Amino acid sequence: TRSRFGKRRPFVFIFAPLSALMFFLIPRMLSIPAMMACIIAFVFFMSLWRSPVMSLMPDLTPPHLRSEANSVISVTGGFGAFLGIIAGSALAFIFGYDTHLNEERNAVFVFGSLMMIFGTLMLAFFVKEEDSRLSLTDSAEPKKQKFKGHKLDKAERKSLILMMAALFFLFIGTNSITTFFALFAHEILGKTTAQATLMMTLFLASGLAGAFPAGILGKKYGRKKVILIGLSVFIFMFAIFTASKQLWLVWPALALGGAASMFINVNTLPLVWSIGGLDRVGTFTGYYYTATFAGQVAAPIFYGIVRVLTGTYMSLFGFCAVAFVVSLLFVLGVKHGEAVPEEEAKLLAGE
């Protein structure tokens, strides 16, 4: 993208406000087709700016610091999720639960839309990009030729494909937990929806606590090792809970699972960026979100089938453990993605 605002920010300036508008309109539609049209438009607009805004971080961060930088992003994202839960509950309490008027849902959607607009304004005023028209004027042709000449070799392509498969199954597991936990808590633990939501705050809180250590450990010991540790913790805790059926174990499973989730999420995206190299951050961010979104879409379908076959939500944690095992097996085959000294020297030489 060639503009005076840079190559990433224009996507945010255009599509984030459109996403906010669609989100604002969703509960106000009077028919199911109109509501579905708003939801589809919202998801489409979100997909057009999420990858560019995430690509800003590696544009400004040396490869060997990206795990730590991604931990900052994960903390702010986790804090946003926590704020959404608290604010949503507060707004529902203030406006009441009159489902006929639908007031609490309108208020929550208004809050979400305003937060997207606020985030866009923060990006506009506090994050600066170079004028991409100027950066392309003198060296556009050499960069074009360089881009054409730099292709992944066979081993790198294999690592990329294995990492995409690992991310797909990882998000099948994590999204199944976040999607179906309230139903699990109601059927197995006898909790209300509100109580189940509060239980999930333990998952979020432990994730926030584990974000910074995940980045530091990823830098010191390697991203792949930390990802494998996170997956191993997930598998161990979820398998123990499933096998023992001791309901009190759900609490340590959520606590350790939240931290394990951050150990994985903080290091997977920088690993994918490093496979692609410094020149194709945006493209490989797109690959990452393609794999993760596919996992999020597949999770309700796959676990829905398992739930029908088993007849109980007690199968939820066992299903997730299996998904994490498959993800771990794919990660073991990844041989690229660490921040090598050559990449660091190249970036520093260009500064």
Side-chain angles (χ1 to χ4, degrees):
T1 304
R2 303 187 185 189
S3 76
R4 66 187 182 92
F5 299 108
K7 61 181 180 179
R8 313 286 190 195
R9 294 195 306 163
F11 289 95
V12 184
F13 295 159
I14 295 170
F15 296 111
L18 288 174
S19 299
L21 175 62
M22 292 300 104
F23 196 67
F24 174 81
L25 292 176
I26 287 173
R28 289 166 172 77
M29 295 297 101
L30 300 179
S31 66
I32 292 179
M35 183 181 67
M36 290 304 301
C38 286
I39 293 173
I40 292 170
F42 168 72
V43 173
F44 175 69
F45 290 142
M46 287 289 291
S47 68
L48 293 177
W49 68 270
R50 185 174 184 182
S51 179
V53 76
M54 286 297 297
S55 298
L56 279 170
M57 185 272 277
D59 286 346
L60 305 172
T61 308
H64 65 291
L65 295 176
R66 287 177 183 170
S67 288
E68 292 176 286
N70 203 37
S71 69
V72 176
I73 293 176
S74 298
V75 166
T76 56
F79 180 75
F82 181 77
L83 179 63
I85 292 174
I86 300 300
S89 300
L91 289 169
F93 176 78
I94 292 169
F95 287 96
Y97 291 89
D98 191 338
T99 55
H100 177 69
L101 296 177
N102 207 23
E103 286 180 327
E104 80 284 6
R105 296 174 190 165
N106 284 346
V108 170
F109 278 81
V110 170
F111 176 79
S113 298
L114 290 176
M115 288 299 100
M116 275 190 272
I117 297 297
F118 177 73
T120 303
L121 292 175
M122 293 288 287
L123 183 72
F125 288 109
F126 296 104
V127 179
K128 302 300 180 184
E129 272 193 287
E130 293 182 358
D131 188 330
S132 56
R133 298 171 301 179
L134 299 177
S135 63
L136 291 171
T137 300
D138 298 326
S139 57
E141 189 60 29
K143 285 187 177 181
K144 183 177 180 182
Q145 294 299 326
K146 182 180 178 181
F147 180 81
K148 288 183 177 179
H150 179 65
K151 296 181 179 179
L152 298 182
D153 60 31
K154 184 177 180 181
E156 290 172 330
R157 286 197 300 271
K158 180 181 178 181
S159 289
L160 177 63
I161 292 171
L162 290 173
M163 196 63 220
M164 294 301 99
L167 287 168
F168 176 75
F169 284 99
L170 168 67
F171 274 76
I172 284 179
T174 55
N175 205 62
S176 294
I177 286 291
T178 56
T179 300
F180 293 100
F181 182 77
L183 295 172
F184 163 85
H186 176 71
E187 178 184 299
I188 305 300
L189 305 177
K191 304 292 185 181
T192 65
T193 301
Q195 290 171 329
T197 301
L198 290 175
M199 290 180 70
M200 283 303 296
T201 60
L202 174 62
F203 186 86
L204 293 173
S206 63
L208 289 175
F212 287 121
I216 295 170
L217 292 172
K219 177 185 175 182
K220 185 174 183 179
Y221 298 107
R223 295 162 184 159
K224 178 179 173 180
K225 290 180 180 178
V226 177
I227 292 169
L228 291 174
I229 290 171
L231 284 168
S232 299
V233 171
F234 257 138
I235 294 166
F236 176 76
M237 290 305 304
F238 284 20
I240 289 295
F241 175 74
T242 302
S244 67
K245 294 182 173 58
Q246 296 294 316
L247 298 184
W248 65 269
L249 283 174
V250 71
W251 292 100
L254 288 175
L256 293 176
S261 177
M262 279 299 177
F263 272 50
I264 300 165
N265 293 337
V266 162
N267 290 286
T268 48
L269 184 52
L271 188 147
V272 172
W273 283 330
S274 292
I275 292 176
L278 298 173
D279 299 324
R280 293 185 288 181
V281 165
T283 300
F284 279 72
T285 304
Y287 291 159
Y288 174 89
Y289 283 115
T290 297
T292 57
F293 283 160
Q296 291 174 28
V297 170
I301 299 172
F302 285 12
Y303 181 67
I305 295 172
V306 172
R307 169 64 178 82
V308 170
L309 293 176
T310 59
T312 175
Y313 281 105
M314 195 65 189
S315 59
L316 176 61
F317 283 80
F319 169 82
C320 294
V322 172
F324 295 140
V325 167
V326 177
S327 180
L328 183 145
L329 293 175
F330 281 119
V331 172
L332 288 173
V334 176
K335 305 301 181 183
H336 301 80
E338 301 295 349
V340 296
E342 288 79 7
E343 286 180 314
E344 300 169 24
K346 179 182 176 183
L347 186 69
L348 292 172
E351 289 181 341

